[in-house]
Amino acid sequence: NLFIAIKGPNQDGHQHAFEAVTKGASFCVVSKKIKKINKNKLIFFNNTMNFLKRLAKEKRNNTNAKIIAITGSSGKTTVKTMIGKILSIFSNVYYSPKSYNNHYGVPLSVSNLEAEHEYGVFEIGMSKQGEIHNLSKLVKPDIAIITNIAAAHIGNFKNIDEIAKTKAEIINNISNNGTVILNRDDKFFNYLENLAKKKKINIISFGLSKNSDVHPVYTKTNKGINIHKIKIINKTILIKEKNLNIYNVLSCLGALESLGLDLKKTIKFFKHLEPLKGRGKIFKVKRFKTNFNLIDESYNSNPLSAKIAIKNFSNMNKVNFKKYIVIGDMLELGSKTNYYHKNLSKDLNNTDIDKVFVYGKEALNIYKYINNKKKGSILQHKNDFDEVFSKIIKKNDFLMIKGSNATGLHKLTSAIIKGSKNVI
């Protein structure tokens, strides 16, 4: 019912105000006159972006919902969506769509909180210092989750310590008597724990370490189903899942425990939950007159998320099929670009992945150090895909595609999933 005309670097929302009204918008917030629109439908505000922030601030100040915020170098959108869906079992919940985690997406998401919502779940991203502070100050979470700290966007920072310091900004804006949920296996756990203690924030830790408040007691696999017995402070539950990152599951359980919810209600939920598109979802694909499996990891990539994706792929039991990976550039790594790409080849060499294919200038540093027996080929263009894979991929094989969003590999996966004759 409200259209806010914001001028961005490429588009000016004022150009779309008339269209918004014709499609049913009750009012338009604008900073200049729009001739075609009745002035009774216009709300004038000097800076429309500031209007959006103020609206979000008022919505946050007037909600009784318990608010959860998620930040970290990888897993934010997955954990946000997972918690949002789980909380819908218990009550009305609003969670931000897609990856609405920047200075546009966060206030827009918070503005959608309504009186009936008992929970709000938001993700907070960053590419430079101060962003998490500003966005979390708006969200004011009762519970904050820091999934992990890694070299994402390290090109904008001196080192990974600066990234940790920036992620930690969220702790300053957790509400009184709030809780932070921390990855105990992360090398910055002690640093974050000490900050939280100084702020008198409650702490719940998760991880594979037995010292974590939330951790697996044991894990076994049966017919493709992973079965975890998980200890959550002073209780244990049995979780079954097919293809989920266990750290994401553990952080979710930590949030639910903090809210005091009945965890037994969530047991069946995990078994039927699938990874999101672009973040590990598996698609059955018919192409080249055969059926194979595509693992779509094409939404984005950084050294940690790539490492996790490769490890999960390798841990998949190989029965009468082969494993292939197309890996693209990891971007925004600055002077460490060569180092992190070269390093990834070590992870790939220690897996049962049969062939490694690369796409992009930076990914050549991966290919250079791959064992000869694992070397697939260098894809010069995305339309090389059909030419290469039509000759090698067979029934029931698995192919993973992983790369930063700007490489365009997500367009390749979308075309393959849709069954387009040519992938471009």
Side-chain angles (χ1 to χ4, degrees), residues 229-246:
K229 184 179 181 182
I230 296 175
K231 186 171 184 182
I232 304 160
I233 303 180
N234 56 2
K235 64 189 85 164
T236 57
I237 62 170
L238 210 63
I239 294 287
K240 296 179 181 179
E241 51 83 15
K242 288 180 184 175
N243 186 32
L244 301 180
N245 182 324
I246 188 61

Side-chain angles (χ1 to χ4, degrees), residues 235-349:
K235 64 189 85 164
T236 57
I237 62 170
L238 210 63
I239 294 287
K240 296 179 181 179
E241 51 83 15
K242 288 180 184 175
N243 186 32
L244 301 180
N245 182 324
I246 188 61
Y247 281 95
N248 293 343
V249 173
L250 297 174
S251 65
C252 285
L253 291 171
L256 298 173
E257 173 65 17
S258 179
L259 290 167
L261 299 173
D262 182 0
L263 297 176
K264 289 180 181 177
K265 283 188 178 182
T266 70
I267 291 173
K268 290 182 181 177
F269 175 86
F270 288 101
K271 186 177 179 181
H272 301 290
L273 193 66
E274 290 186 355
L276 302 176
K277 187 175 184 295
R279 296 172 173 88
K281 187 168 183 176
I282 300 176
F283 293 89
K284 299 281 185 185
V285 173
K286 187 171 184 179
R287 200 175 186 86
F288 318 128
K289 297 180 181 178
T290 191
N291 296 299
F292 64 94
N293 303 284
L294 175 68
I295 304 176
D296 180 13
E297 280 276 1
S298 64
Y299 174 74
N300 221 334
S301 188
N302 63 51
L304 179 62
S305 71
K307 192 182 182 87
I308 291 169
I310 290 164
K311 184 180 178 182
N312 289 344
F313 194 20
S314 184
N315 287 342
M316 188 184 289
N317 289 334
K318 200 195 297 189
V319 185
N320 299 324
F321 61 80
K322 288 193 172 182
K323 296 180 185 178
Y324 303 108
I325 186 168
V326 174
I327 193 150
D329 293 349
M330 298 181 290
L331 303 176
E332 296 185 65
L333 299 178
S335 61
K336 293 275 190 179
T337 296
N338 289 351
Y339 167 80
Y340 283 115
H341 283 86
K342 179 182 175 182
N343 223 33
L344 207 57
S345 62
K346 296 176 186 175
D347 296 309
L348 287 160
N349 286 334

Side-chain angles (χ1 to χ4, degrees), residues 105-161:
V106 173
L108 183 60
S109 298
V110 175
S111 294
N112 279 298
L113 277 172
E114 300 296 350
E116 69 267 18
H117 294 132
E118 291 192 27
Y119 302 103
V121 192
F122 306 97
E123 63 175 292
I124 296 176
M126 65 92 194
S127 56
K128 59 186 179 183
Q129 283 185 333
E131 285 184 328
I132 287 181
H133 171 71
N134 292 333
L135 295 174
S136 59
K137 191 176 180 182
L138 184 64
V139 174
K140 291 193 293 190
D142 300 296
I143 299 167
I145 300 172
I146 303 177
T147 58
N148 45 51
I149 292 170
H153 305 292
I154 199 167
N156 299 331
F157 297 88
K158 287 181 184 175
N159 50 46
I160 199 166
D161 291 3

Side-chain angles (χ1 to χ4, degrees), residues 388-402:
V388 170
F389 282 93
S390 62
K391 296 169 185 172
I392 64 166
I393 204 152
K394 301 288 186 270
K395 187 178 180 181
N396 297 328
D397 285 348
F398 275 79
L399 168 67
M400 176 183 280
I401 298 180
K402 179 77 176 169

